Amino acid sequence: SARSQGVPERAGALLRRALAEPPEPALRATVLRELGATELTLLDGAAAAHLGEALAAERDPAQRAEIAVELGFAHYTAGSHGDAVDVLLATIEEVESDPRLREQRLRLEGVLALAGRYDLRTETRVRGRVARLAAGLAGETPGERLVRAVAASESPGETAAELARATELAAWSLDAPRPWPDPTAGVGEAAMFLHAGRPAAAAEVVERIVAQAAREGSQIRYAMGLATRGVVALDVGDLRTAEAELATALDALAEARAERMARTTVAFHAMALAERGALDRAEAALEQHGLTGAVPEQMLFNPLLFMRGQLRLAQRRAVEAEADFRELGRRHERWEMTRPSPPWRSACALALIAQGEPAQARVLAAAELPLARRWDTPKAIAYTTRALALADADGDGDARIDGLTAAVALLDGTPWRLDRARARVDLGGALRRAGQRRAAREALAL
């Protein structure tokens, strides 16, 4: 009743009381599972421990499979990808020979693919597994649709349009329950729409997240909705909205003690601060959350590397910026990700230019340009075109002006106002240095 009224904290307190009484042995696994699932909706780190106890106490194979799905996802949300893979693989072995448990096995495979692929230490253990399974499925049952959707998101293709289609076809819509409690549902889809250059589609997902949070009374879900709204605003250069929404989200996550989600959100908040010139506040935000050094080799932290690299560039710490961008590139290569979003090669080129190494910068930007053209979004192509123009090593002012003019043309009429402003500033500077002052004023005035 407490959960249905949107107060999972109260439900957790009641279930902990029930567990302490204690319940009859036959009910212990049920109480433990309900408590663990409730804690999972709160992103409480105790969820995995209670679900693990529930799994150990349960003897029914079907129930064990259902608990293992939730336990695997609990380990995943806590960043314990190896534990998630271990328990899911072990449970799959238990059920795979029983045709009556086919749906349970498919759900286990779906969460296994998610939990395993987002950490470089476990990615090789699950690589290709869900794709092979999905190839023989028609999508006739919820479990089949889940596996097909997870497989589609794992290998969405080499163009932004293909990624957008894979995201649209996700089996778990926000209007249908997932087979595990997930207060972050929809956040990943919004992020993929941004990578695909569809900020309007991302914004629609955000509003559905916020509306659902209001219906459920979920503080965590509301915080994730605000954080994602801030990320969308940052993507299109609405810096005031981005800073406000991300700051509010961080306060809500802190109140909910969702530290891991806060650590990923703070990178975007720091970037919004940096873009508005508050470099000291941005640095302090990273320091507060212990994000100035090495970060886990998990995909969840990839945006942090890119955002921190951009902050280092703004701070004129180009060597450190280059290190962050190259580390992101190393991780992309390990995950076999070729998409130019985020454009780590061109960003690294800007760091090299700042170090007086335009020739090296041009090599990196030139390598990314065909990837950006294949990805086929104005933002990706313009970012790389701009970097390539700025890396013009032969001093040909006309070539630089032509490249920057092309970048501006790509961004004119698009929602990416901050990227457009940067390109125009660079173009105005190049025109001024070439003695074309009237043209420079025109570029800078718009």
Side-chain angles (χ1 to χ4, degrees), residues 12-369:
L14 291 166
L15 287 163
R16 280 187 287 273
R17 167 67 185 272
L19 189 63
E21 293 219 356
E24 298 176 13
L27 290 176
R28 181 174 172 79
T30 299
V31 176
L32 282 165
R33 181 187 177 184
E34 288 195 22
L35 175 57
T38 298
E39 290 167 334
L40 184 52
T41 67
L42 297 167
L43 295 179
D44 188 329
H50 288 129
L51 288 167
E53 288 185 61
L55 183 63
E58 183 60 64
R59 294 292 174 264
D60 178 75
Q63 289 300 312
R64 282 181 57 79
E66 298 294 347
I67 295 170
V69 165
E70 295 177 348
L71 175 56
F73 195 75
H75 281 311
Y76 163 63
T77 59
S80 301
H81 297 251
D83 292 334
V85 170
D86 288 343
V87 71
L88 291 164
L89 284 174
T91 311
I92 288 169
E93 289 183 9
E94 293 179 15
V95 304
E96 61 186 349
S97 62
D98 189 339
R100 295 171 299 177
L101 301 179
R102 181 174 180 271
E103 278 293 289
Q104 285 88 342
R105 185 209 165 181
L106 291 173
R107 287 195 286 274
L108 287 162
E109 293 281 2
V111 73
L112 172 66
L114 289 173
R117 80 181 187 218
Y118 286 110
D119 190 312
L120 286 175
R121 294 169 299 181
T122 56
E123 189 269 338
T124 55
R125 297 176 64 185
V126 302
R127 182 184 295 173
R129 181 183 178 110
V130 74
R132 292 189 295 271
L133 182 60
L137 302 179
E140 296 176 352
T141 70
E144 289 186 359
R145 289 190 288 274
L146 171 65
V147 168
R148 283 164 56 95
V150 173
S153 65
E154 186 172 80
S155 302
E158 297 182 339
T159 69
E162 289 171 322
L163 176 60
R165 281 195 295 271
T167 305
E168 291 165 356
L169 293 172
W172 52 77
S173 73
L174 294 179
D175 302 318
R178 297 193 182 198
W180 54 79
D182 183 8
T184 68
V187 174
E189 285 83 350
M192 291 304 101
F193 276 129
L194 291 182
H195 283 304
R198 272 62 169 182
E204 289 179 8
V205 172
V206 169
E207 296 316 309
R208 292 170 65 194
I209 295 173
V210 172
Q212 191 174 71
R215 289 195 302 270
E216 297 173 354
S218 171
Q219 181 184 13
I220 286 283
R221 190 133 181 76
Y222 183 64
M224 296 308 300
L226 292 182
T228 311
R229 183 186 285 165
V231 172
V232 174
L234 181 61
D235 179 77
V236 297
D238 184 356
L239 299 179
R240 293 180 186 275
T241 298
E243 182 183 345
E245 297 286 14
L246 289 162
T248 304
L250 282 171
D251 289 342
L253 290 169
E255 185 177 342
R257 298 190 298 277
E259 175 58 26
R260 190 162 184 265
M261 292 299 106
R263 291 184 78 203
T264 59
T265 302
V266 76
F268 293 99
H269 183 232
M271 196 65 246
L273 290 169
E275 295 290 12
R276 299 195 68 194
L279 300 183
D280 290 343
R281 289 176 60 199
E283 185 68 20
L286 294 184
E287 290 176 354
Q288 179 184 349
H289 291 268
L291 296 174
T292 57
V295 295
E297 289 187 320
Q298 297 169 2
M299 204 177 291
L300 188 67
F301 291 94
N302 283 2
L304 167 63
L305 287 169
F306 189 74
M307 298 294 170
R308 193 172 69 184
Q310 290 185 301
L311 172 59
R312 296 291 177 254
L313 265 182
Q315 294 170 321
R316 301 182 185 276
R317 295 160 64 178
V319 173
E320 294 168 79
E322 179 190 353
D324 276 342
F325 294 136
R326 288 196 184 278
E327 172 59 16
L328 178 58
R330 183 190 71 82
R331 297 183 185 199
H332 272 218
E333 289 169 6
R334 287 277 304 278
W335 267 299
E336 299 183 350
M337 294 167 58
T338 58
R339 69 175 184 232
S341 179
W344 68 265
R345 295 173 187 81
S346 293
C348 192
L350 297 178
L352 287 166
I353 292 168
Q355 296 175 63
E357 299 288 350
Q360 292 184 43
R362 190 168 185 84
V363 170
L364 272 176
E368 192 162 75
L369 187 58

